[in-house]
Amino acid sequence: MFIHIGGDDIIESKNVIAMIDYQYISSSTINDEMVNNQQKANNVTTLDEEETKSIIITNDHIYYSPLSVLTLKKRASMLSTISKLDDYSNDDMFEET
């Protein structure tokens, strides 16, 4: 499944390692160092620098998102719920007899 993370960007949910509130990145030297190393390697995408609310860490990239962690979590949860629904698209139950 995919998660819309803001702007025109969509990522695969299976690749998401963590979603972190932006305000907590600078308060942790380990997180700050990780982001700086990924920026040096050009593995960081900033969707809207002025409106950054969260950072999404995937297997090979970091995204700065204008959406809050709560919003992203809801979107990921909705995808999980949708994927668990039964598929009746090929069911003969609704055909006229």
Side-chain angles (χ1 to χ4, degrees):
M1 296 300 250
F2 296 91
I3 303 171
H4 177 256
I5 61 170
D8 293 331
D9 292 290
I10 297 171
I11 59 174
E12 284 190 81
S13 58
K14 70 179 181 178
N15 293 333
V16 175
I17 295 170
M19 292 183 271
I20 304 171
D21 194 309
Y22 181 67
Q23 67 184 6
Y24 297 124
I25 291 298
S26 61
S27 66
S28 167
T29 55
I30 293 172
N31 287 340
D32 198 34
E33 183 179 337
M34 175 193 59
V35 170
N36 286 333
N37 288 337
Q38 291 302 312
Q39 285 174 334
K40 289 176 187 173
N42 292 323
N43 292 332
V44 176
T45 300
T46 303
L47 305 179
D48 188 353
E49 195 167 327
E50 293 178 11
E51 295 291 323
T52 298
K53 294 181 181 175
S54 62
I55 293 180
I56 299 119
I57 301 170
T58 66
N59 296 333
D60 58 355
H61 210 80
I62 295 177
Y63 298 89
Y64 284 60
S65 175
L67 302 175
S68 71
V69 172
L70 181 60
T71 299
L72 292 167
K73 184 179 174 186
K74 285 180 184 177
R75 289 181 180 192
S77 176
M78 286 177 19
L79 293 174
S80 175
T81 301
I82 289 170
S83 69
K84 292 177 184 174
L85 294 176
D86 291 330
D87 181 10
Y88 294 106
S89 61
N90 293 327
D91 197 342
D92 294 334
M93 185 169 95
F94 297 106
E95 290 184 14
E96 291 184 29
T97 55

